[in-house]
Amino acid sequence: MAKKKTTTTKKKITPKKASLVVSKKNKIILGSLLILFSMALFFSFVSFYFTWQDDQSLLSEFANRNEQAKNLLNKFGASVSHFFVYKGFGVASIILTILVCITGLHLFLSLDKKGLLKKWIWGLIFMIWISIALGFLADTKPLLGGLIGYEMNDFLKDYTGNIGVVLMLLFGLIFILVRFFHFTPEGMAHFFKKKTSSIKSELQSTSKEATDAIRDVQESIKKTEKETPVVLDTYTHKKDIPPLKKEKIVLDDFEVTVPAEEETTDELAMEVEEIVEEQEETDNIANKLVEDFGEFDPTLELGHYKFPTIELLDQHGVTGGITINQEELEENKNKIVDTLKNYKIGISQIKATIGPTVTLYEIVPEAGVRISKIKNLEDDIALSLAALGIRIIAPIPGKGTIGIEVPNKNSTIVSMRSVIASSKFQKAEMELPIAFGKTISNETFVVDLAKMPHLLMAGATGQGKSVGLNAVLTSLLYKKHPAEVKFILVDPKKVELSIYNKIERHFLAKLPDSEEAIITDNAKVINTLNSLCIEMDNRYELLKHAQVRNLKEYNVKFKSRKLNPNDGHKFLPYIVLVIDEFADLIMTAGKEVETPIARLAQLARAIGIHLIIATQRPSVNVITGIIKANFPARIAFRVTSKIDSRTILDAQGADQLIGRGDMLFTQGNDVTRIQCAFVDTPEVAKITEYIGSQRAYPNAYELPEYSGEDSGTSIDNNISERDILFRDAAEVIVTAQQGSASLIQRKLKLGYNRAGRIVDQLEAAGIVGPFEGSKARQVLVPDFVALDELLNNERS
C-alpha cells in the first residue's frame, strides 16, 4: 500500500512542475511587451516635466475622448506619469523604467533569472534614496523628489532636523557603496595601485629594444664616472652632465682660470655600436613585425646601417688641451691695467679665462667708473696689446664684470673629433643636434636646429663659412639615421658640397628625374624651392588630417600605428635645405628665389623643413627684412666692416673677430663667441665614403614634381597616352570642384608623381585650369553631364 501511495504522489507532483514552465514563444512575447512598456513609461516620465501644468486639468477627464493631453503618450502618459512621478518618486522613477526593461530583456533573450530579484531590490533602494535626497535638496520643488520623497523628508526633518537628514543620507550612500559596489578603503587603494602599475607596464612595453640597449650602456658609463655636483646645462638642459673642471692659477694676486679638456666618449660610441650589431644579428625583423606588431620603426629598411665611427675624424692640433703661456697672461694683464690707469680708470679686480683662441679678461672697475668710458677705449687697449682685434663686452650678461676678449698669440685648433666625442654632444637629447665648436670657456657648444628653426650664416671670403657648413652636416650625420633626416644641398660654386654625392641614396633629396642630387644650376634651384613649397603644403595637409600640430607629434602618432598608410600617411623625415652662396642666387634669380625662401622661412618650421643659408655679402639687398625676421639664429664669421656686422647680427663685434673659424652666434638674445670646429675635406670624404659603402635606399628621397608655368604640353593631350585612371580622377575633381594632386592622391591612393601627371593631363583636356602656386587649380567643368560632353567631343 505504501508503494502505491508513493507512485501516486509522484504522478501528482510532475504535472505541477510542468505547469509553471513558460514556453519560449510566450517569453519572447512577454519580454517584448515589457521592453516596449518600459519605453512608453520613459517617454511619459520625460515628457511629464514639460507638459504637467497643461495636463493637470485633464487628469479627472480621462474618459472624455474630446480632450487631448500634451504628453507624448497623451492621456495615458499624463495619468501614468502623474501617478509615478508626482505622487511617487519624482526623477528617480526613471529607475523603474530601467528595471522593467531589464526584466523584459531577461524574458526576450531567455537569460537566467538568477540575480533579477536582486536588481529589483537594489533598484527600489536607489529610487527611495534618490527621492529623499532630491526632496531634501529641492524641498520647494516636490516634482524632483515626488510626494514620497517630499513627505518622507518632511517627516524626518520634524524628528531629526536638517543635520539628521544629511547624516541619514550619508549613511544610505555608504550602505549602497559598500553592499552594491563592494567599496572598501583597501579596495580603493588596491584599485589605484593596480591602475598605476598597469600604466607603467604599458609604457615600458612600448619602449624600443635598441633604446634600452643604449640606455644600459649610458647607465654603466655613469656608474664609472666620478661623482660630480649636478647642474643644469645651458645648451642641452640636461641635469646629468657634470660641469667642466677648471684649474685656477694665481699669478701675483691675479686669478687665471684654465678650463680642462672635456671628457670624450670614444668608448661610448664603440660599445653602443657593438651592442646594436649583436642585436641586429639575433633579431629577425620580419618575424618581429608579424608577431609583435609593435611600434613602427622607420629605420627597419636600413636596419643594418652603421653610424660613422669617431676614428674617421682626425685629432688636429695638440691633444693635451690648452697650452698656458704665463708670461703672455701677465703681460696682457699689466698692459690692460696700465692703459686704464692712464685714463684714470681704477680696477678693483681682474681675472682671466683661457679659451682655445681667445682669452677673456674679466675686470671689476672701482666705484663711480662709467661703463661707456671703458667701452670707448677699445682701440686704445688694442693698440697697447698689439692684438689683431679685441672685443669689449660691457657688461657681461649675468655677471657684474666687464669682459675684454684678447686673441691668443698661439691659438689651439678645435678639432671636430673632440667636439663629436664630447659628453655633451653624445648625450644631447635633441631632434637635430649641431655641435658648432667650443666657447671661450672651452665648453662644447651644442644647439638644436629644430628649435632655431632656421640658420643664417655670413662672413667674408676665407673666414670659415664652408667649414661651418661641413661641421653642421657632420654633426647630423653622426647623430641621425638616413630615415630621419634628408638634405637638399645647393652649391652655386659647384665644388664645396660635391663631396656629399656619395651619400645621395642615404641622406639626399632631389627632384624626380634629376640627374644630380647636388644642385648647381640656378634654374633648378628655383624649381627645387617651389617643389619644397609643395612638399610643405602636402605635409600640412597630412598634419591637418592627423589632427596634430607639428612633425614630432605626427611621427609619434604614425609610429604608434594610429595613422593609416592607405590614407596617404607615411613617416616624414626632417628636411634640411643648405644654400652655400645665397648672394649669387639673389643676383641671378631675385624674387623667384626670395619668394619661396620667405614662404619656407615663415611656415616650414612646424613640418620639419629647416633652412641654412650662407653668404659672403651680408648686405641689405641680399639679407632682406623678410629673411632676417624669420632667421632668428645667426652666425657671423669675420666681416670687413661694422655695417656688415650690424646687418647680420644687429650688433657690432663681427668686424673684430680674428678669422679662421672665429665666430659669433646669436639666437635672438645674447651673443656667444665660439671657435668653430675644424673638419677638413679628407675627413668629410672618409665619412661619406663610409656611409656610401653601406646598403642604401633604391633612390634618393624624391621631392614633389614641379613643372613651372608651362605645365600641360601637347603630349599630355594625347588620348592614347592618358593614364588608366584619367576618367576616375576627372570624376573626383568634378565632384569636389577642387583641382589638386593631393586630392587625387587621397581618393585614388596614388603616388604624388602619378597624380601630378594626371593633373597635367586634366589641364591639357580643359578640365582644370593652369597652375596657381599653392592654391588649388580652378575646375572648368561644372558637372558630370558637361564632363561626358567634353570627353565625347574629344573622341569624335
Side-chain angles (χ1 to χ4, degrees), residues 3 43 53 110 144 148 187 310 413 430 464 470 535 541 633 656 672 704 740 772 784:
K3 288 180 181 178
F43 289 118
Q53 291 178 334
S110 299
L144 292 177
I148 291 177
I310 201 71
I413 298 176
M430 300 177 179
N470 286 332
E535 173 77 12
E541 193 74 19
Q656 300 293 333
T672 306
S740 66
E772 296 181 7
F784 285 159

Side-chain angles (χ1 to χ4, degrees), residues 116-227:
L116 185 59
L117 179 61
K118 187 178 180 181
K119 290 184 176 67
W120 271 91
I121 293 173
W122 280 110
L124 293 174
I125 292 174
F126 282 153
M127 283 176 59
I128 295 170
W129 186 86
I130 293 172
S131 179
I132 296 173
L134 290 176
F136 175 78
L137 294 173
D139 55 353
T140 58
K141 298 178 181 178
L143 283 177
L144 292 177
L147 279 177
I148 291 177
Y150 181 80
E151 294 294 337
M152 292 185 69
N153 189 40
D154 191 53
F155 175 81
L156 293 172
K157 281 183 179 179
D158 291 340
Y159 288 91
T160 62
N162 289 333
I163 296 176
V165 175
V166 172
L167 295 176
M168 293 177 69
L169 288 173
L170 286 174
F171 173 77
L173 179 62
I174 294 171
F175 176 81
I176 292 170
L177 290 175
V178 173
R179 293 304 303 269
F180 186 78
F181 295 102
H182 308 289
F183 172 85
T184 58
E186 295 83 8
M188 289 296 294
H190 178 69
F191 173 80
F192 286 111
K193 187 176 180 181
K194 186 178 178 181
K195 284 293 181 184
T196 53
S197 62
S198 64
I199 292 172
K200 287 181 181 178
S201 63
E202 287 177 5
L203 291 174
Q204 290 173 358
S205 64
T206 55
S207 60
K208 294 190 292 185
E209 296 177 5
T211 307
D212 293 337
I214 294 173
R215 189 184 298 113
D216 293 338
V217 174
Q218 291 178 348
E219 289 175 358
S220 64
I221 291 173
K222 285 181 185 177
K223 291 179 182 178
T224 60
E225 292 178 349
K226 295 181 179 179
E227 294 183 0

Side-chain angles (χ1 to χ4, degrees), residues 593-644:
V593 168
E594 186 180 350
T595 302
I597 286 285
R599 280 204 70 217
L600 292 169
Q602 290 169 351
L603 301 174
R605 59 180 300 177
I607 42 86
I609 298 177
H610 303 282
L611 280 58
I612 301 175
I613 294 176
T615 180
Q616 64 180 353
R617 269 212 356 244
S619 54
V620 290
N621 59 339
V622 174
I623 304 175
T624 60
I626 296 176
I627 292 176
K628 284 183 66 176
N630 293 285
F631 283 78
R634 301 171 201 166
I635 287 178
F637 291 91
R638 188 184 181 188
V639 294
T640 54
S641 67
K642 293 183 179 180
I643 296 175
D644 290 345

Side-chain angles (χ1 to χ4, degrees), residues 564-778:
N564 191 352
N566 293 330
D567 296 334
H569 292 291
K570 58 183 178 180
F571 180 82
L572 299 178
Y574 286 93
I575 296 178
V576 180
L577 171 65
V578 179
I579 300 177
D580 187 23
E581 188 45 69
F582 186 62
D584 184 61
L585 292 180
I586 293 293
M587 288 174 61
T588 55
K591 289 291 182 182
E592 290 181 290
V593 168
E594 186 180 350
T595 302
I597 286 285
R599 280 204 70 217
L600 292 169
Q602 290 169 351
L603 301 174
R605 59 180 300 177
I607 42 86
I609 298 177
H610 303 282
L611 280 58
I612 301 175
I613 294 176
T615 180
Q616 64 180 353
R617 269 212 356 244
S619 54
V620 290
N621 59 339
V622 174
I623 304 175
T624 60
I626 296 176
I627 292 176
K628 284 183 66 176
N630 293 285
F631 283 78
R634 301 171 201 166
I635 287 178
F637 291 91
R638 188 184 181 188
V639 294
T640 54
S641 67
K642 293 183 179 180
I643 296 175
D644 290 345
S645 177
R646 290 194 192 97
T647 303
I648 181 66
L649 291 177
D650 295 328
Q652 297 182 14
D655 55 316
Q656 300 293 333
L657 300 176
I658 61 175
R660 296 178 59 84
D662 190 17
M663 71 182 200
L664 296 175
F665 174 83
T666 179
Q667 204 166 348
N669 40 28
D670 298 334
V671 178
T672 306
R673 190 165 185 173
I674 304 167
Q675 177 60 40
C676 183
F678 178 68
V679 51
D680 205 359
T681 305
E683 297 175 71
V684 180
K686 285 190 288 184
I687 294 171
T688 55
E689 183 69 35
Y690 181 85
I691 296 173
S693 63
Q694 301 183 49
R695 179 175 172 268
Y697 295 107
N699 298 299
Y701 185 85
E702 286 194 353
L703 297 171
E705 190 172 1
Y706 177 78
S707 52
E709 298 179 356
D710 55 345
S711 60
T713 61
S714 58
I715 299 175
D716 297 328
N717 204 19
N718 192 339
I719 298 176
S720 61
E721 294 182 2
R722 283 180 180 170
D723 196 282
I724 301 172
L725 298 175
F726 175 82
R727 173 67 190 226
D728 296 336
E731 292 178 355
V732 168
I733 293 296
V734 172
T735 303
Q737 286 295 305
Q738 179 183 357
S740 66
S742 59
L743 178 65
I744 297 176
Q745 268 187 285
R746 294 196 306 273
K747 295 294 184 182
L748 301 182
K749 299 177 181 178
L750 302 177
Y752 188 86
N753 294 336
R754 186 178 179 186
R757 285 193 294 271
I758 293 176
V759 170
D760 292 340
Q761 293 168 4
L762 291 171
E763 180 187 351
I767 298 174
V768 297
F771 179 79
E772 296 181 7
S774 61
K775 295 181 181 179
R777 296 172 184 250
Q778 183 182 2

